[in-house]
């Protein structure tokens, strides 16, 4: 049962709708679960959005608060993060994907030992930076309990990886054990899901079994896709770094890729919440196929600089649409500390603002905020990321000095937001 209704207001309210509407002195009426003990079995929604004074007059019994020089927006979405790698600082090699992968294989066991404290720090860092929803990629299930008990809303991707055909049965039963364990924790804030690690690291028959589970349980699906030039070369020509990786590191005689680019994408036909992370080496045609199928792209710009020295183009020109246009389905992620200095989404947003100097600054600022709110939530299949009636009561307030006098609110918010001053997730005050 919802225990009360509350109103929160601020000098500026970013609705994060398609047109990026900004309200001056706006407010949100929402269902509060603050006095509710029943855990996260029920969900709290936004009831009305509008002028703060009007709302307080119309709903005089609602408890209210207003933030001067505050920006109120939906909680941010970190659509791709690996909590299990939070121990890493300097163990892995950056500058080339192949060298990075070699270093992960060599040092993975050290980084993955004793992760309790670093996972909890990474969760705190999400909350402090205003993230209310994460797409958490879990390779081992070590982060399951901490995430399920956290204040975050979590889409929990149990990741499948493994290429040895004789190990498929064992791999699949291990995967299923993790997935079904995560189903035990399922509630409004913790949603089990399925990840295929990547086209180079997964046997296609194993992938088929895993996707059958995803279909049965109707979960979102995530995969790393076309992250490196090496991966592109392997999938298109069967040569390069990955040839050596399989032939020499793993002793596979005459190794061949499990997929073409097309056959990897075809596996997801007809599925609804597909998130393909990185896509740096997807050409126009591949991006066009992804757009037609409404597959979501997740971009992690700092990880992309460190591992692959490039960024996702945000605009493509295609035969059907010869004018440059923005890809509609791009969400933002930090990736893990395995390929980033921290997992702070505000730092990621600021970095992104500087990584695309050819895009007009205010236009880019608005796009980044949309990637980090509505696009992320939509990709993850969550009714959030927008301040509208019926959406989740997940909101955050940042204090931005003198925002009342600025006409570049989106840009100034990205530049100056440092820490959430108030955060509400599922109708509960978290900060
Ligand atoms: O997104 C980055 C780079 N691409 C691929 N994998 C990972 C990334 N960050 C962490 N990973 C993990 C992945 O989930 O590293 C391992 C897997 O557990 C790589 S494969 C040995
Ligand atoms: Fe990743």
């Amino acid at each position: 049962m919802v225990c009360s209704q509350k109103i929160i207001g601020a000098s500026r309210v970013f609705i994060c709708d398609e047109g990026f509407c900004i309200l001056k002195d706006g407010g949100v009426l929402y269902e509060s679960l603050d006095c509710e003990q029943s855990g996260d079995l029920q969900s709290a929604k936004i009831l009305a959005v509008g002028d703060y004074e009007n709302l307080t007059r119309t709903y005089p019994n609602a408890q209210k608060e207003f933030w001067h020089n505050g920006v109120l927006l939906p909680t941010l979405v970190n659509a791709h993060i690996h909590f299990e790698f939070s121990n890493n600082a300097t163990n892995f090699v950056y500058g080339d994907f192949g060298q990075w992968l070699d270093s992960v294989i060599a040092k993975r066991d050290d980084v993955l030992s004793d992760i309790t404290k670093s996972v909890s720090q990474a969760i705190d860092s999400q909350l402090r930076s205003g993230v209310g929803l994460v797409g958490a990629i879990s390779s081992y299930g070590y982060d399951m309990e901490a995430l399920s008990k956290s204040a975050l809303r979590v889409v929990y991707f149990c990741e499948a990886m493994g290429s040895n055909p004789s190990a498929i049965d064992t791999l699949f039963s291990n995967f299923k054990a993790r997935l079904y364990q995560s189903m035990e924790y399922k509630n409004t804030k913790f949603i089990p899901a399925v990840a295929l690690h990547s086209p180079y690291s997964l046997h296609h028959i194993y992938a088929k079994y895993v996707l059958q589970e995803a279909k049965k349980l109707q979960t979102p699906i995530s995969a790393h896709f076309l992250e490196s030039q090496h991966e592109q070369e392997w999938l298109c020509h069967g040569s390069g770094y990955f040839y050596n990786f399989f032939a020499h590191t793993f002793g596979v005689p005459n190794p061949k890729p499990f997929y073409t680019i097309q056959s990897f994408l075809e596996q997801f036909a007809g599925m609804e919440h597909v998130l393909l992370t990185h896509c740096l080496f997807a050409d126009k045609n591949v991006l066009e196929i992804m757009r037609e199928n409404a597959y979501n792209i997740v971009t992690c710009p700092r990880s992309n600089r460190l591992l692959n020295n490039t960024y996702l183009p945000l605009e493509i020109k295609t035969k059907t649409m010869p004018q440059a246009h923005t890809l509609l389905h791009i969400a933002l992620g930090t990736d893990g500390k395995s390929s980033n200095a921290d997992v702070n989404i505000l730092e990621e947003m600021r970095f992104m603002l500087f990584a695309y100097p050819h895009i007009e600054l205010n236009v880019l600022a608005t796009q980044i905020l949309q990637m980090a709110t509505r696009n992320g939530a939509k990709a993850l299949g969550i009714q959030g990321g927008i301040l509208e009636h019926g959406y989740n009561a997940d909101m955050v307030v940042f204090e931005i000095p003198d925002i009342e006098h600025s006409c570049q609110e989106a840009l100034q918010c990205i530049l100056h937001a440092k820490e959430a001053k108030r955060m509400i997730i599922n109708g509960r005050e978290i900060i």
Side-chain angles (χ1 to χ4, degrees):
M1 200 195 73
V2 170
C3 50
S4 65
Q5 298 182 348
K6 290 187 181 176
I7 298 170
I8 183 165
S11 310
R12 294 293 180 272
V13 177
F14 295 176
I15 302 295
C16 300
D17 56 348
E18 206 175 336
F20 205 78
C21 168
I22 298 176
L23 303 183
K24 294 186 176 162
D25 299 327
V28 174
L29 174 79
Y30 67 96
E31 297 173 326
S32 169
L33 292 179
D34 273 328
C35 56
E36 185 55 52
Q37 302 301 313
S38 70
D40 290 307
L41 295 171
Q42 48 183 326
S43 61
K45 301 292 181 190
I46 291 173
L47 299 171
V49 181
D51 181 74
Y52 179 76
E53 289 301 330
N54 278 347
L55 281 176
T56 55
R57 250 181 276 122
T58 317
Y59 302 94
N61 296 326
Q63 202 180 308
K64 58 184 180 177
E65 62 177 321
F66 186 87
W67 291 79
H68 288 284
N69 283 316
V71 171
L72 170 68
L73 72 164
T75 52
L76 301 175
V77 182
N78 188 348
H80 184 99
I81 171 170
H82 304 253
F83 284 95
E84 290 168 319
F85 285 83
S86 299
N87 264 344
N88 182 55
T90 55
N91 291 281
F92 302 150
V93 177
Y94 295 149
D96 170 73
F97 187 81
Q99 290 183 25
W100 176 82
L101 191 54
D102 292 344
S103 71
V104 171
I105 289 168
K107 302 250 186 108
R108 180 169 48 179
D109 292 348
D110 295 345
V111 170
L112 290 166
S113 77
D114 215 358
I115 63 170
T116 313
K117 189 166 162 213
S118 65
V119 167
S120 114
Q121 283 167 344
I123 291 171
D124 282 351
S125 138
Q126 301 311 296
L127 295 167
R128 268 186 285 111
S129 59
V131 168
L133 168 61
V134 294
I137 314 296
S138 174
S139 310
Y140 307 94
Y142 301 156
D143 50 1
M144 191 185 299
E145 202 181 321
L147 283 167
S148 72
K149 287 183 178 155
S150 80
L152 287 168
R153 198 182 284 280
V154 180
V155 177
Y156 187 77
F157 290 98
C158 299
E159 186 175 64
M161 187 172 61
S163 55
N164 182 349
S166 66
I168 290 177
D169 286 350
T170 318
L171 289 166
F172 185 52
S173 68
N174 170 291
F175 166 82
K176 265 208 303 202
R178 283 185 282 131
L179 180 62
Y180 283 86
Q181 194 190 340
S182 72
M183 290 298 290
E184 306 267 308
Y185 292 104
K186 185 174 178 173
N187 61 36
T188 40
K189 275 179 53 247
F190 185 86
I191 295 103
V194 164
L196 307 183
H197 176 257
S198 73
Y200 56 83
S201 61
L202 193 77
H203 197 284
H204 61 97
I205 295 175
Y206 179 23
K208 200 172 103 185
Y209 295 160
V210 166
L211 288 176
Q212 278 166 0
E213 293 296 321
K215 276 187 199 156
K216 197 162 79 190
L217 302 171
Q218 298 222 312
T219 75
I221 292 156
S222 158
H224 295 95
F225 184 54
L226 289 176
E227 178 177 10
S228 65
Q229 185 83 71
H230 304 308
E231 178 180 341
Q232 196 264 355
E233 184 181 352
W234 173 240
L235 298 181
C236 294
H237 309 292
S239 57
Y241 166 84
F242 280 107
Y243 182 89
N244 289 320
F245 178 81
F246 287 111
H248 303 132
T249 315
F250 287 98
V252 180
N254 192 23
K256 295 265 185 320
F258 305 118
Y259 294 101
T260 61
I261 288 174
Q262 282 71 20
S263 73
F264 189 76
L265 289 177
E266 275 162 15
Q267 302 177 106
F268 311 119
M271 296 183 178
E272 216 186 332
H273 300 290
V274 177
L275 296 87
L276 299 171
T277 299
H278 305 311
C279 304
L280 295 173
F281 295 88
D283 66 17
K284 267 186 212 174
N285 297 330
V286 175
L287 291 170
E288 184 63 4
I289 295 173
M290 291 173 52
R291 208 180 59 84
E292 280 166 9
N293 285 282
Y295 298 160
N296 304 277
I297 297 176
V298 184
T299 193
C300 307
R302 289 188 292 172
S303 169
N304 293 159
R305 170 63 177 106
L306 292 173
L307 269 43
N308 293 288
N309 307 307
T310 190
Y311 304 118
L312 178 78
L314 302 186
E315 297 171 327
I316 52 164
K317 287 181 190 159
T318 62
K319 280 189 212 121
T320 43
M321 293 196 205
Q323 286 102 358
H325 71 280
T326 307
L327 284 168
L328 292 175
H329 306 284
I330 304 179
L332 185 67
T334 57
D335 225 335
K337 280 187 75 185
S338 28
S339 57
N340 209 336
D342 59 59
V343 285
N344 182 323
I345 200 80
L346 296 169
E347 294 299 339
E348 203 70 42
M349 291 162 75
R350 276 189 276 281
F351 181 87
M352 195 170 187
L353 200 57
F354 292 89
Y356 293 86
H358 58 287
I359 303 180
E360 198 279 323
L361 197 52
N362 296 289
V363 170
L364 180 61
T366 305
Q367 285 179 355
I368 292 170
L369 277 162
Q370 290 190 317
M371 288 178 203
T373 53
R374 66 196 309 263
N375 294 8
K378 185 160 186 265
L380 292 165
I382 299 294
Q383 184 78 350
I386 307 180
L387 299 183
E388 257 172 35
H389 172 89
Y391 280 74
N392 291 336
D394 293 3
M395 288 163 280
V396 60
V397 176
F398 295 108
E399 272 177 353
I400 311 292
D402 290 327
I403 193 71
E404 287 156 3
H405 303 117
S406 173
C407 57
Q408 298 182 306
E409 291 104 322
L411 173 64
Q412 299 296 358
C413 179
I414 293 178
L415 287 176
H416 295 287
K418 297 284 148 57
E419 221 180 55
K421 291 293 164 190
R422 165 74 80 224
M423 174 123 95
I424 294 144
I425 299 179
N426 201 32
R428 287 177 205 272
E429 285 175 10
I430 305 301
I431 295 176

